[in-house]
Amino acid sequence: MISRSSLGRITQLTSRQCCHQPASRRGLAAAASGSFKFQTGEAAGVKVATRDIAGPTTTLALVAKAGTRYQTLPGVADGLEKFAFKNTQKRSSLRITREAELLGGEVSAYHSRENLVLKAKFLKHDLPYFVELLAEVAGKTLFTAHEFHEEVIPVLTLHQRRLLASTTDLAHGSAHSVAFHRGLGAPLHVLSPTLLTKYLTEEAITAYSTAAYAKSNIAVVANCASPEELAKWTGEFFKDYPTSREVTKLESPASKYYGGEERIPHGSGNSMVIAFPGSSHFTGSSYKPEIAVLATLLGGQSSIKWSPGFSLLGKVVSGHLGVTVSTAHAAYSDAGLLSITLNGSANGVRGASVEVSKTLKSVAAGEVSKEDISKAIALAKFRALEAEQEVTHGLELTGSGLIYGAKPSQMDEVAKAIGAVSAEQVAKAAKDMLTGKAAVSTVGD
């Protein structure tokens, strides 16, 4: 049971007024109220950003530059994610669960190749409680041995089994490894049981968390929150955080693309990923909007119900019965990977891969109609804007941009860049891919 004092604490946090103003808070850069533009600033040395749009609920995220690219030992990023919302110095995991439920909130955590994200969704007036909770989870988790062995390791093992059964997940992980080797090429999840038992311990996760959650390594980002309130509570609850000078800084060398080929035998299906160098995300160092247009032009999956769609690969692969194809672009801070995924029978995937090569050559030669280019630009613009508007993706992307010292991702600028792409730029992008070395991963027969 939660004591009356605990519930009283929640009520007090929620009802606090502006009687306490942290001296280390810097005002957020102004934007129009209700705008989808992020307002940025700093509070107690922590970068903050928010979109103050109308709505009764708020989504809050603590973004840390602590994905698998930066992990010091195999599996520590995954382990740190699984320890989120466990026992802390102030609260037990049961108390965290009960308090979040009483407030009608949702809490979760996930990691990507570059970031680890703690996320909370709640009623707007409960912002003080959840800012304090994320600060506590990031800075005061106990990392107890019994939780590690009884809760974290079993979950990691089950997740491992699921991934090993998926040929598509294995092929995508392999393609990243072949493309980048280290850094972005590090496995998103540890697939070897030996690595879990050899390197992953509660002590290793504790050490990694200290560097991962340092002030210079995190950003607090919100959707539908007042800039003043976010800065106020961030300044109060994050003021005792360690700075980068007090901890080991997490670093990764600049991404370098290699390319190559890997074949993995598997008895549960057939998947092939053909990948090429792509673009960084908008806030990154090597943004190329034409890559997003090329990805939608190649496509594979229709965006219109009962229609085969306009995508080039969707048309050419339709003759291979049982084969599915899709094109995706993974954007990172200093690199990207455009990947074409084929699934189906061994013979079907083999035949479809030949069509993929022919299609890329036709794009490079400029043999694509202006109408298809226009459709691809429109769809790329829509998907970029949709991703920016979608809360989870937008918060992580903005937080990542702030941590890397760049700028928050602003959807109007993204749309403008994609809208200015020409057919010549798309053809050149395809030609550059063909003259380079692809990263090919085949899983199955």
Side-chain angles (χ1 to χ4, degrees):
M1 292 290 292
I2 301 176
S3 65
R4 290 185 178 181
S5 61
S6 298
L7 293 176
R9 171 66 172 160
I10 300 174
T11 304
Q12 291 171 14
L13 282 172
T14 305
S15 60
R16 281 182 184 175
Q17 301 300 318
C18 298
C19 57
H20 174 69
Q21 296 291 342
S24 55
R25 191 179 83 222
R26 190 179 74 193
L28 274 68
S33 178
S35 167
F36 271 97
K37 282 181 173 288
F38 277 99
Q39 303 175 51
T40 63
E42 192 173 291
V46 176
K47 298 176 181 66
V48 294
T50 182
R51 282 192 294 213
D52 188 14
I53 57 179
T57 65
T58 295
T59 301
L60 179 71
L62 186 152
V63 181
K65 190 183 73 173
T68 52
R69 175 177 184 172
Y70 301 98
Q71 61 185 3
T72 52
L73 290 170
V76 289
D78 213 350
L80 184 57
E81 175 212 317
K82 300 301 186 291
F83 255 114
F85 305 104
K86 301 294 184 187
N87 293 338
T88 71
Q89 295 174 15
K90 294 180 62 178
R91 294 175 172 87
S92 67
S93 59
L94 177 60
R95 177 178 167 183
I96 291 173
T97 300
R98 294 290 175 81
E99 289 179 352
E101 289 175 341
L102 284 171
L103 294 175
E106 299 178 9
V107 294
S108 60
Y110 70 91
H111 75 277
S112 60
R113 295 187 182 276
E114 291 194 305
N115 304 305
L116 190 151
V117 182
L118 306 178
K119 190 175 72 169
K121 298 163 66 177
F122 47 88
L123 297 174
K124 194 170 186 177
H125 61 264
D126 292 324
L127 177 67
Y129 171 79
F130 284 97
V131 173
E132 182 185 27
L133 178 62
L134 293 193
E136 186 179 320
V137 169
K140 298 180 180 179
T141 295
L142 294 177
F143 301 104
T144 58
H146 74 273
E147 287 179 306
F148 175 73
H149 292 288
E150 297 173 12
E151 298 180 21
V152 173
I153 287 296
V155 171
L156 288 174
T157 302
L158 289 172
H159 194 56
Q160 212 173 56
R161 293 175 182 174
R162 184 189 70 80
L163 290 172
L164 288 171
S166 171
T167 57
T168 302
D169 288 338
L170 288 175
H172 277 281
S174 171
H176 273 81
S177 179
V178 170
F180 299 110
H181 292 186
R182 298 182 180 276
L184 292 175
L188 191 57
H189 303 279
V190 178
L191 299 179
S192 169
T194 304
L195 291 179
L196 283 182
T197 57
K198 185 176 181 180
Y199 295 106
L200 195 60
T201 63
E202 61 271 30
E203 292 85 2
I205 296 174
T206 302
Y208 187 64
S209 72
T210 304
Y213 294 132
K215 281 185 178 180
S216 61
N217 212 55
I218 63 173
V220 177
V221 190
N223 197 66
C224 195
S226 162
E228 294 77 15
E229 287 293 299
L230 181 63
K232 172 187 175 182
W233 298 117
T234 301
E236 177 170 340
F237 296 122
F238 285 83
K239 60 185 176 183
D240 297 328
Y241 256 56
T243 63
S244 59
R245 294 187 297 272
E246 300 168 350
V247 299
T248 303
K249 189 175 182 180
L250 296 180
E251 295 181 324
S252 174
S255 296
K256 181 180 179 181
Y257 179 85
Y258 295 91
E261 185 176 357
E262 183 175 25
R263 297 173 183 267
I264 303 173
H266 203 288
S268 299
N270 301 279
S271 297
M272 175 184 284
V273 172
I274 306 170
F276 303 92
S279 162
S280 69
H281 51 61
F282 180 75
T283 61
S285 58
S286 56
Y287 178 62
K288 300 176 183 177
E290 61 268 23
I291 299 296
V293 177
L294 178 59
T296 56
L297 179 64
L298 294 173
Q301 303 294 316
S302 175
S303 59
I304 308 297
K305 190 175 180 65
W306 309 122
S307 168
F310 72 90
S311 70
L312 303 182
L313 293 181
K315 296 174 182 177
V316 298
V317 174
S318 60
H320 298 269
L321 189 64
V323 176
T324 61
V325 60
S326 61
T327 305
H329 178 242
Y332 303 106
S333 61
D334 62 350
L337 197 68
L338 186 145
S339 58
I340 301 168
T341 306
L342 297 162
N343 291 291
S345 65
N347 289 332
V349 168
R350 186 183 302 112
S353 65
V354 176
E355 299 295 340
V356 169
S357 177
K358 292 179 180 178
T359 302
L360 272 172
K361 290 178 181 177
S362 69
V363 176
E367 299 171 356
V368 181
S369 68
K370 291 183 178 179
E371 182 179 354
D372 282 345
I373 293 291
S374 297
K375 291 178 180 178
I377 291 173
L379 183 57
K381 185 187 295 186
F382 166 76
R383 287 181 175 171
L385 293 176
E386 182 187 38
E388 291 285 333
Q389 187 175 349
E390 195 272 323
V391 173
T392 299
H393 179 83
L395 296 186
E396 180 186 354
L397 191 59
T398 297
S400 179
L402 292 176
I403 295 168
Y404 282 90
K407 55 184 179 180
S409 182
Q410 304 291 15
M411 58 171 58
D412 54 345
E413 297 177 22
V414 175
K416 183 178 179 180
I418 293 176
V421 171
S422 64
E424 290 74 20
Q425 287 177 289
V426 176
K428 184 180 183 303
K431 186 176 180 180
D432 291 342
M433 291 179 181
L434 291 173
T435 55
K437 191 176 184 180
V440 181
S441 176
T442 306
V443 180
D445 293 343

